[in-house]
Amino acid sequence: MKKFLTLCLAAAIFPVVLAVALSLSSWCYATPLSQQDIDRLSQPHQRLFYLVSATVDFNIAEQIKRAYDLMENDRDYPMAIAVLDKVIELDGKNAEARLLRGIAKTRQAEDGTRDVLDYNRADEDYKAALLLEPDNPTFFFYRGENYRLAGHYQRCRDTYKLALELAPHYLDAMVGMGDAYFDEAESQMDRWHKNGYQGDGWHYDELAVKNYERAINEYNKALVLVPEHGVIVAKKELAQEKLATAKTELEEKERQAAIARRIG
């Protein structure tokens, strides 16, 4: 009888002991949530829905203006290109976006690598813009400007001429013609100074003189329309100074050549 009572008592106590053991085990190994965790889990995640809404409401006109401001005010050309990439992705026939992306790429090349491949990438955008609006003289002007900065002076002038065929009094293109001749003359003088009287250095100064003269002629055409334009006047005066220097150096070269011939 005593043994039977002992077994009954053990059976009655066992559930209580097990419950206490489990409770202690939970207390030892489980980490309770902090108030910060609880607050975070209770948030409605409004920002996630806001991001989705912003993507859907992407306004092309506003983004083009944003890209323009990034280029003109912040000079943040990579960001402007990223914005225009998205615009073109959504509207592949947006000629203005193509033009602006080309300008951004040209300016980025000027500020950084000056790599011909970067200018070529910009030219792809100018070409795409012109395919959409083939009678837009502004598109031809900026394509010509890209050629000039890349050192393709003849292609630059040919492209400016296309702009002037569409708009004969397009002042930027007229001045651009002068700039193209001036920049080519500067390049030729640099090559002549590098080579001196050796090898192909002999004729670059002569070519430079002719191109300085052509630059002055193009600036004069623009000054017929705007006689008091300070920037164009300054460009012309600089070209005249460079021309005078080039002529002096050319005369000295010819004098030394004559002495060399006389001495034999």
Side-chain angles (χ1 to χ4, degrees):
M1 181 65 179
K2 186 177 180 180
K3 186 176 182 181
F4 173 76
L5 290 174
T6 302
L7 290 173
C8 290
L9 180 61
I13 294 175
F14 179 75
V16 176
V17 174
L18 179 61
V20 171
L22 290 174
S23 176
L24 290 173
S25 174
S26 175
W27 179 80
C28 292
Y29 295 103
T31 303
L33 291 175
S34 67
Q35 186 60 45
Q36 182 180 1
D37 293 332
I38 295 172
D39 292 341
R40 184 167 60 247
L41 289 172
S42 65
Q43 289 180 358
H45 302 289
Q46 292 178 351
R47 181 160 182 77
L48 293 177
F49 292 108
Y50 168 74
L51 290 174
V52 172
S53 176
T55 302
V56 173
D57 295 338
F58 190 90
N59 185 292
I60 288 178
E62 290 179 359
Q63 294 302 321
I64 288 178
K65 182 180 182 302
R66 177 190 176 196
Y68 180 83
D69 289 341
L70 286 166
M71 292 164 56
E72 295 300 315
N73 300 327
D74 302 333
R75 297 174 64 88
D76 189 348
Y77 304 123
M79 187 65 217
I81 292 170
V83 171
L84 293 166
D85 285 344
K86 186 63 178 178
V87 171
I88 293 168
E89 176 187 333
L90 296 174
D91 183 7
K93 293 186 177 181
N94 193 308
E96 183 182 8
R98 296 278 186 178
L99 174 67
L100 286 177
R101 191 169 71 173
I103 295 172
K105 290 177 180 177
T106 298
R107 292 182 180 177
Q108 182 174 246
E110 282 296 287
D111 282 358
T113 63
R114 292 181 180 267
D115 189 327
V116 66
L117 292 177
D118 291 329
Y119 293 110
N120 290 345
R121 294 185 187 99
D123 185 62
E124 292 173 1
D125 276 319
Y126 298 124
K127 181 179 179 180
L130 281 165
L131 288 172
L132 294 167
E133 294 186 20
D135 295 327
N136 192 320
T138 301
F139 292 4
F140 280 111
F141 167 76
Y142 279 106
R143 191 181 195 188
E145 189 76 352
N146 187 64
Y147 285 142
R148 180 178 71 82
L149 294 171
H152 303 309
Y153 301 115
Q154 188 56 54
R155 294 179 72 180
C156 162
R157 289 189 288 267
D158 291 342
T159 308
Y160 284 150
K161 287 177 183 177
L162 292 173
L164 290 168
E165 288 176 6
L166 294 167
H169 293 162
Y170 190 174
L171 192 63
D172 287 338
M174 296 174 74
V175 175
M177 289 286 289
D179 290 344
Y181 281 120
F182 180 88
D183 288 353
E184 186 171 16
E186 289 284 274
S187 175
Q188 289 163 341
M189 287 300 291
D190 287 343
R191 294 184 70 176
W192 181 65
H193 287 151
K194 179 179 179 180
N195 293 319
Y197 298 117
Q198 305 295 322
D200 65 354
W202 273 90
H203 68 285
Y204 280 112
D205 54 344
E206 299 173 12
L207 294 174
V209 166
K210 293 179 181 178
N211 280 324
Y212 283 131
E213 291 173 341
R214 290 167 180 156
I216 293 168
N217 184 51
E218 295 298 332
Y219 293 141
N220 282 336
K221 291 178 182 178
L223 287 170
V224 169
L225 301 178
V226 285
E228 305 300 325
H229 196 294
V231 173
I232 304 174
V233 170
K235 286 176 179 285
K236 176 184 173 181
E237 290 176 350
L238 179 60
Q240 288 173 327
E241 292 175 6
K242 294 283 188 172
L243 174 62
T245 301
K247 283 184 173 180
T248 298
E249 293 185 10
L250 180 59
E251 290 170 358
E252 176 61 19
K253 183 194 78 171
E254 292 173 346
R255 187 184 71 83
Q256 292 188 22
I259 292 174
R261 287 193 299 271
R262 188 166 64 249
I263 293 175

